[in-house]
Amino acid sequence: MATQKEGPAAGKLIYSDRSPPLACVATAALKHLRLDRQPSSSVGRDQPPVIQVASGDELAGTDLVLRYLARLKQDDLFLYGKDALSSCQVDQWLAFAPALGAGPGLVAAAAQANEYLAARTFLVGHRLTLADIAVWGELAANQQWARLKAADMPHLQRWLAHVGAHPVLKATAEALGPKTKEQHMQAIADAGYGGGDTGTFLQLKNGVQGRVVTRFPPEPSGYLHIGHAKAALLNQFYARKYGGRLLIRFDDTNPSKEKDEYVENIMADIKTLGLKPDAPITYTSDYFPQMQDVTERLIKAGVLYADDTPQPEMAEQRSAPKVEDRISRCAGRTPEESLRIFGEMLRGTPEGQRNCLRFKLILEPDDAPLDEKNRGHMAMGNGALRDPVAFRCNAETHWRTGDKYKAYPTYDLACPFVDALEGVTHALRSSEYSDREPQFYWILKRLQRVWPDLPHVEIEDFSRLNLQNTVLSKRKLTELVDGGKVDGWGDPRMPTVQGLFRRGMQLQALSSFMESQGASKNTNLMEWGKLWAANKAIIDPRAPRHTRVMTGGPGVLPPVMLTVEDGPEKPEAATVPLHKKDPSIGNKTTIKLRRVLIDAVDAAEVAAAVADADAGTTAGADGKPKPLSEKKAAERRHVTLMDWGEWPAVLITAIEKDASGAVTGITAKQVPGWKANDTFLKLTWLADVEEARTALQVVRLGPLIKDAKAPKKVKSRPGAPVPAEPAPEAPVAEMFNPDSRIEYTAWGDANLKKLKRGAFLQLERDGYFTVDQAYDEAHPEQPIVLLDIPDGKDKRPVPSPGAQALLALAAAGVAPAAAAVPSSAASTPAGAATRVPPGASNGSDSSAAASNGASNDASADVKLSSGDVSAGTPASSSISPAAAAAAGPVSAEVRSGAVGTATGTSAGGVADDSGGASADAPAASADAAAPASDALEAPATPAAGGKTGESASGTGAPQTDGAAGKLGGSGGGANLSPAAAALASHQLAESLRGLDIMDSPEKKGPE
């Protein structure tokens, strides 16, 4: 290949090392210019590149640098165009290119470029120009663009593939462009280090390409949990990285804890985790004969001795402060005597059962760690080096070998021996075992002396996985299972592999998360959010969208009827995509009808918004009324019915309330031509007809453990005593979170009947879910059970202050007293329908955020009969006068002396008589429901902590006897029901809507 002749010097290009200017580098390469590239970590990612020329002058900005480079040397490339017109067109695209950078305008700009390229190969003329290079440079460096669907913009994708295939541009992108996850992880591994969120992948010590053998050795004493998953996936990662082999071996040396059930389920977990061993799965019990053989050799070599010291006394000796007190009286037994006793152990005789075999662990200069050199027998500060047990008797039946053996090797003996025997080159272990590494190497060396040709095994540490509100101890998890706190090892709240995947975890997300942790040895307490956020990124593009309307459960009121006056009198079926961004996922059938059901909380939001529009004011961030423009007021009178059709906007014409001021019905009419972006709310709905819906049980899951933190690691010091007993810890039953599972009832669209168990989906304006129990045609009365899938975000906004006031009244179910409403606000008579005139404005193209301006943390204070006011939110979150008028009186006579705050209790908690939180959250009462209708009959599924009963209102919504008291019965002077307190808690929003992933009132416009 001929060497390219070097061109003139272009200057020094200075830019951020996190955002290389691909277009500038590629242009210099195309024109064969000598460009002195100076990437700098001190230059901000968003700062433009700067070129310094020989004269000392500087040019800043990608467009100026490109123009300079194109004009620097005349050639036949004509990158700046052949004539004045084409040069101007190039300038247009240079000005347009920055719009294709990461940001909210990317999609719109890309769509414009896609349309322009429908019949073009290049942006300007019929050859490559600076226009193509500039636009290519923006998209090639834009990771946001990489996540967009190619099918959405085929012309732009075609053009980008064509231009990006140019050898110079392709080489530039490969050298400086953003890396895929796989490329990034491989680069880190190849470099031998890592950092930040990527974890650390060190080179394996003495790792040889093609010869590395790793192993995953689960103990069949429980199901695999997320900590085991990390070990398994890292072992497979290193085996593949080095082109080596992965082995899987069951470490079954303790018949007291092992069961067939555990083996079978671990086998299933191995398949779920995508582990592919390079040899048949083995068992440590396969090697029991060899271990008896090598044990006899170790006894004869004086490495092992038989000891009949009772276990409690042995533990006390090993932790004694004085060295002489640590040495067992049996340490002086001869090899012959120990060999005889070992025979008794193998036969399980009474004498044998009183004994065990222990290593006489005396360090030699060539195998002692630095802080233990020249120490005598039992003088080591590391307790793991104080004559550990190698063999012990166990009369229980082994799950695999039955009663053939009466004595079994310990992990300390079996692990190094079988690892070496199977040819394992690198044993990856979590850093909690770091104190046992000297022991591993010491035992392995003694084994090699008595068993010729036994190879060496290297230990590689990685940090133990510690997660917030999580215990990974098999003992504690077993207690939860055996104590009935959870529904087995596969309970979706459990940190087990089966629990995680039952809740919707995807293997790709789990693998990426574990690989991102790398083999770092830094122990820290991690949050679940990062893992679930990675999972959301995988399921969101493929999750079909469905609809639900809540009907019952803690903090949930019955749905409200919305009547579209000019809507279809008879059911009309329409076909809409299951995912608007990916038509390939399929379609669903939506049934339209003039009478539709909406969530009670949505109805309250609509009423509050219309009240603001009537008054022409809304509450500002400071709690003071602020005027509404005519356009904003008009927006508050309109809502969008999602998937309603070509013109989904409707105008609210009337709002009906009961005696308490609770919304019981809404009337609207269609507004053809009104844009969805010019409405205040986007509502999900279901037609009031049997064929449009199916019963759901919506299950929301929380942390299984109230507060479990990573244990502090105490390093052994030379001469320090080893604690005889671990520090006392709270029983796992006390750590259990009783509110970790809360059940709700709902109607879902009938398309949900087609989903199979394990399918994931998104309930629009709610969140992601997985099907735990699918629809059963043989038992149509049973609801479909959906488990919520976390999205990595903890924040769940609560309804607006005005909506909270209306909901609190509905939950309290009391007759209004004199309302404390500012005189400037017009009050609406309780129980009367509020007629809302149509807005005068026809809207505009603006899509400004529609919000009532109130804080998400706002709550309505409740006036007590004692004159006290419950603790609500600061004045900055007060309700606007109009919303207060719409709500009617925001007070309730309560016989008790206190009531819970509107937002204070934990998820699922209900305020008790003292203002504290009760663990049990009963379902909401239906006292203030809409008029009786068969269409409002809710699925009769009990809520957590209560039993389903008849509804006094006739709507069929569950009425529950909970721990906090029986619900039901409205009227003046009644106690504030537990449902009212539940609605006043954060659980209100938990069960209804407002997640960042959905379309909340602040997020208008079509999906």
Side-chain angles (χ1 to χ4, degrees), residues 27 145-146 187 207 286 430 482 583 673 700 705 793 864 930 975:
T27 300
W145 164 256
D286 293 337
S430 62
D482 294 345
R700 298 196 185 275
I705 300 300
K793 299 176 182 177
L864 309 179
N975 284 337

Side-chain angles (χ1 to χ4, degrees), residues 263-435:
V263 175
E264 292 170 1
N265 281 279
I266 290 175
M267 287 286 199
D269 293 343
I270 287 171
K271 183 177 181 180
T272 299
L273 291 172
L275 300 180
K276 300 184 182 302
D278 297 295
I281 292 176
T282 60
Y283 303 83
T284 299
S285 56
D286 293 337
Y287 303 95
F288 280 172
Q290 293 94 321
M291 278 185 277
Q292 289 186 8
D293 185 358
V294 78
T295 298
E296 292 179 358
R297 300 185 193 189
L298 291 172
I299 293 173
K300 293 175 182 178
V303 177
L304 295 176
Y305 65 91
D307 193 341
D308 59 4
T309 304
Q311 194 278 330
E313 183 180 342
M314 187 183 298
E316 186 176 345
Q317 286 178 350
R318 295 181 71 229
S319 62
K322 295 182 179 180
V323 173
E324 57 269 25
D325 294 336
R326 301 174 189 164
I327 301 175
S328 170
R329 56 180 172 75
C330 299
R333 277 179 170 171
T334 64
E336 292 76 16
E337 177 66 5
S338 293
L339 194 60
R340 182 192 68 78
I341 295 174
F342 181 52
E344 298 295 324
M345 290 174 60
L346 294 179
R347 289 188 292 274
T349 65
E351 181 184 11
Q353 292 183 30
R354 289 195 302 270
N355 281 268
C356 68
L357 292 181
R358 297 177 69 184
F359 289 101
K360 186 179 289 185
L361 206 153
I362 301 176
L363 297 178
E364 298 172 1
D366 64 337
D367 61 14
L370 293 177
D371 62 342
E372 303 285 7
K373 277 186 178 180
N374 304 317
R375 289 186 175 273
H377 185 211
M378 299 293 277
M380 285 71 73
N382 184 345
L385 300 178
R386 297 178 186 173
D387 288 10
V389 174
F391 237 97
R392 79 283 195 216
C393 285
N394 192 324
E396 296 194 33
T397 300
H398 190 276
W399 75 275
R400 189 162 181 262
T401 62
D403 297 320
K404 182 177 181 179
Y405 300 99
K406 307 299 182 184
Y408 299 88
T410 62
Y411 182 84
D412 292 337
L413 170 62
C415 183
F417 180 66
V418 180
D419 276 352
L421 210 59
E422 290 193 328
V424 173
T425 61
H426 293 80
L428 274 65
R429 304 203 299 190
S430 62
S431 53
E432 62 187 303
Y433 296 106
S434 60
D435 286 348

Side-chain angles (χ1 to χ4, degrees), residues 342-638:
F342 181 52
E344 298 295 324
M345 290 174 60
L346 294 179
R347 289 188 292 274
T349 65
E351 181 184 11
Q353 292 183 30
R354 289 195 302 270
N355 281 268
C356 68
L357 292 181
R358 297 177 69 184
F359 289 101
K360 186 179 289 185
L361 206 153
I362 301 176
L363 297 178
E364 298 172 1
D366 64 337
D367 61 14
L370 293 177
D371 62 342
E372 303 285 7
K373 277 186 178 180
N374 304 317
R375 289 186 175 273
H377 185 211
M378 299 293 277
M380 285 71 73
N382 184 345
L385 300 178
R386 297 178 186 173
D387 288 10
V389 174
F391 237 97
R392 79 283 195 216
C393 285
N394 192 324
E396 296 194 33
T397 300
H398 190 276
W399 75 275
R400 189 162 181 262
T401 62
D403 297 320
K404 182 177 181 179
Y405 300 99
K406 307 299 182 184
Y408 299 88
T410 62
Y411 182 84
D412 292 337
L413 170 62
C415 183
F417 180 66
V418 180
D419 276 352
L421 210 59
E422 290 193 328
V424 173
T425 61
H426 293 80
L428 274 65
R429 304 203 299 190
S430 62
S431 53
E432 62 187 303
Y433 296 106
S434 60
D435 286 348
R436 307 181 82 86
E437 288 183 24
Q439 179 206 88
F440 180 97
Y441 288 129
W442 187 93
I443 294 174
L444 179 59
K445 185 171 291 186
R446 272 63 191 173
L447 288 167
Q448 290 168 333
R449 290 177 182 176
V450 301
W451 196 281
D453 302 323
L454 204 61
H456 184 66
V457 181
E458 294 285 356
I459 292 179
E460 293 285 352
D461 282 352
F462 59 87
S463 65
R464 183 181 189 273
L465 187 63
N466 296 302
L467 291 157
Q468 286 185 337
N469 300 100
T470 305
V471 293
L472 297 179
S473 162
K474 280 187 181 180
R475 176 180 60 80
K476 291 181 178 179
L477 294 177
T478 301
E479 288 180 28
L480 290 173
V481 173
D482 294 345
K485 298 293 186 183
V486 294
D487 182 24
W489 290 86
D491 188 294
R493 295 166 292 175
M494 290 279 277
T496 57
V497 171
Q498 293 187 25
L500 287 170
F501 280 81
R502 181 179 172 187
R503 197 177 180 185
M505 177 61 64
Q506 303 298 300
L507 177 58
Q508 182 183 349
L510 185 63
S511 298
S512 298
F513 178 78
M514 295 307 175
E515 290 175 10
S516 73
Q517 306 310 304
S520 169
K521 300 180 183 181
N522 299 323
T523 300
N524 52 25
L525 188 61
M526 302 188 66
E527 297 180 354
W528 281 96
K530 185 177 180 182
L531 173 57
W532 287 115
N535 193 65
K536 173 198 169 185
I538 292 169
I539 67 175
D540 177 71
R542 299 186 289 128
R545 271 48 174 174
H546 290 275
T547 302
R548 65 100 183 105
V549 173
M550 301 300 293
T551 59
V556 178
L557 292 174
V560 173
M561 189 72 70
L562 186 152
T563 302
V564 182
E565 293 176 312
D566 49 354
E569 290 287 346
K570 296 182 179 180
E572 290 184 1
T575 300
V576 297
L578 282 165
H579 196 308
K580 293 179 178 61
K581 295 182 180 179
D582 189 354
S584 67
I585 292 177
N587 296 318
K588 64 181 178 180
T589 301
T590 296
I591 297 178
K592 291 173 55 177
L593 194 64
R594 68 190 302 266
R595 286 162 54 90
V596 300
L597 303 176
I598 64 173
D599 281 338
V601 70
D602 283 339
E605 292 282 11
V606 171
V610 170
D612 282 350
D614 285 346
T617 62
T618 188
D622 57 357
K624 298 179 181 179
K626 67 175 184 179
L628 283 173
S629 66
E630 184 177 333
K631 178 180 182 301
K632 291 297 182 183
E635 286 180 355
R636 278 166 164 73
R637 300 182 193 278
H638 292 79

